């Protein structure tokens, strides 16, 4: 099995772990929308979701050892694809037609991206000045998003999700640097102070992404998870293309194909969050007239009324 196939396979397994964790986290956040971190720490459901995230993260780290950021990170969109049937099953419903369209578009877009990404295992690492610069820029972006989320009409769910996606994508990029540094003796000693600093930043960004996504999922799973799914690969791929020398294959044709694939995948992800269902009245209350029944939008991948990749992707 070559490096590309191994990276894709590990990414698929990672997406399943992240999807299961995301659905569990959304449900937890919906049941306890005002619960603080200390209360969450006392709930077994929280720790199950953390364990699922950790499993997905370990598989993601392994994938980053064998594949480039521009290959592995877009595959994080499969998290939402995997969450669709899981969420539908928990909700006791069938997968909607719009969800099937979103799944097909996402898979076709990812297929186009796979044709243009590099197939060799990564060997480049980020120098410490670049790492520190990335950390400063990302913190500034996150602080701006969080500050705007607190304003009236700030749509906090989407802003916290965007912050989580950026942080998780950067954590993945830094994770690849740590992985290559530790496993490739040509880059220097097995452990040095630079690797230790980067590993500490990875841990900090991982925890930050987890908490930011938990906050985002208080508004539901669909739109926030879509934002995380899109922001994560954008942040990581930007680092790979700008600082790690990763390139798209196929020249201008490859660039055009990758753009078409990215648009198709993004459109598919958005469709996967659009499902309208009618909420029936509680069994112990008299039925309401049809015009009074509440029609609400719920995430495509989640049932009713929850954090996110420990790394990412992804997440």
């Amino acid at each position: 099995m070559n490096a590309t196939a191994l990276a894709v396979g590990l990414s698929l397994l990672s997406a399943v772990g992240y999807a299961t964790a995301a659905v569990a986290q959304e449900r937890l956040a919906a049941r306890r929308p005002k619960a603080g971190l200390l209360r969450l720490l006392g709930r077994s459901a929280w720790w199950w979701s953390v364990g699922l995230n950790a499993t997905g993260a370990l598989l993601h780290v392994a994938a980053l050892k064998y594949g480039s950021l521009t290959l592995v990170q877009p595959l994080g969109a499969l998290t939402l694809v995997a969450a669709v049937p899981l969420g539908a099953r928990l909700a006791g419903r069938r997968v909607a037609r719009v969800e099937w369209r979103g799944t097909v578009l996402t898979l076709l877009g990812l297929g186009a991206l796979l044709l243009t990404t590099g197939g060799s295992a990564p060997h480049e690492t980020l120098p410490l000045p670049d790492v520190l610069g990335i950390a400063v820029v990302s913190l500034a972006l996150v602080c701006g998003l969080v500050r705007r989320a607190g304003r009236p009409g700030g749509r906090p769910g989407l802003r916290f999700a965007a912050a989580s996606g950026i942080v998780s994508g950067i954590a993945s990029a830094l994770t690849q640097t740590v992985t290559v540094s530790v496993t490739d003796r040509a880059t220097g000693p097995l452990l040095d102070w630079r690797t230790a600093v980067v590993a500490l930043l990875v841990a900090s960004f991982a925890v930050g992404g987890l908490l930011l996504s938990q906050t985002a999922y208080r508004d539901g799973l669909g739109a926030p998870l879509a934002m995380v799914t899109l922001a994560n690969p954008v942040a990581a791929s930007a680092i790979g293309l700008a600082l790690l020398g990763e390139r798209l294959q196929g020249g201008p044709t490859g660039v055009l194909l990758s753009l078409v694939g990215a648009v198709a995948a993004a459109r598919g992800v958005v469709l996967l969050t659009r499902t309208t269902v009618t909420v029936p009245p509680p069994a112990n209350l008299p039925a309401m007239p049809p015009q009074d029944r509440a029609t609400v939008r719920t995430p495509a991948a989640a049932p009713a009324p929850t954090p996110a990749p420990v790394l990412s992707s992804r997440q």
Side-chain angles (χ1 to χ4, degrees):
M1 182 180 294
N2 61 31
T4 299
L6 189 56
V8 171
L10 290 169
S11 297
L12 293 175
L13 294 175
S14 175
V16 173
Y18 281 143
T20 307
V23 173
Q25 291 160 349
E26 186 272 340
R27 292 173 67 82
L28 179 61
R31 289 196 299 266
R32 298 287 189 275
K34 302 300 183 180
L37 178 59
L38 292 179
R39 288 189 178 183
L40 289 175
L41 292 176
R43 299 186 60 82
S44 59
W46 162 262
W47 290 108
W48 273 109
S49 66
V50 170
L52 289 168
N53 267 316
T55 301
L58 291 174
L59 292 167
H60 185 73
V61 170
L64 288 172
K65 168 60 181 173
Y66 298 102
S68 63
L69 287 169
T70 51
L71 169 67
V72 173
Q73 291 306 119
L75 291 175
L78 293 173
T79 296
L80 196 54
V81 173
V84 167
L86 177 61
R89 180 177 179 81
L90 291 176
R93 63 174 179 84
R94 295 181 178 179
V95 178
R97 182 176 300 179
V98 66
E99 293 172 316
W100 284 120
R101 292 206 309 269
T103 299
V104 171
L105 271 175
T106 301
L107 294 177
L108 289 176
L110 291 177
L113 288 172
L114 288 177
L115 293 176
T116 62
T117 53
S120 59
H123 296 287
E124 298 292 330
T125 60
L126 291 168
L128 189 58
D130 287 352
V131 171
L132 296 178
I134 291 170
V136 171
V137 172
S138 63
L139 286 176
L141 289 174
V142 169
C143 289
L145 288 168
V146 171
R147 185 165 52 249
R148 291 177 66 88
R151 298 177 181 176
R155 306 191 71 178
L158 291 180
R159 294 192 186 278
F160 277 108
S164 176
I166 292 171
V167 168
S168 299
I170 291 172
S172 291
L174 300 183
T175 296
Q176 187 177 72
T177 287
V178 173
T179 303
V180 173
S181 297
V182 170
T183 58
D184 188 355
R185 296 299 182 88
T187 61
L190 179 62
L191 291 174
D192 56 16
W193 67 275
R194 185 200 67 154
T195 303
V197 170
V198 178
L200 181 61
L201 287 174
V202 168
S204 301
F205 279 115
V207 174
L210 186 70
L211 298 178
L212 286 167
S213 62
Q214 180 69 66
T215 304
Y217 291 158
R218 291 177 179 176
D219 290 344
L221 179 65
L225 182 55
M227 180 62 74
V228 171
T229 304
L230 294 173
N232 185 309
V234 169
S237 297
I239 294 174
L241 292 171
L243 300 177
L244 290 174
E246 296 181 3
R247 295 291 181 268
L248 298 176
Q249 299 178 348
T253 302
V255 173
L256 179 60
L257 182 60
S258 66
L259 290 175
V260 172
V263 171
R267 175 61 178 168
V269 166
V270 171
L271 288 177
L272 286 171
T273 68
R274 293 182 178 177
T275 299
T276 302
V277 297
T278 300
V279 179
N284 59 341
L285 294 178
M288 295 181 292
Q291 66 270 22
D292 293 332
R293 293 184 181 178
T295 300
V296 298
R297 296 185 63 82
T298 63
T306 180
V310 175
L311 299 175
S312 155
S313 130
R314 233 199 303 41
Q315 235 213 137

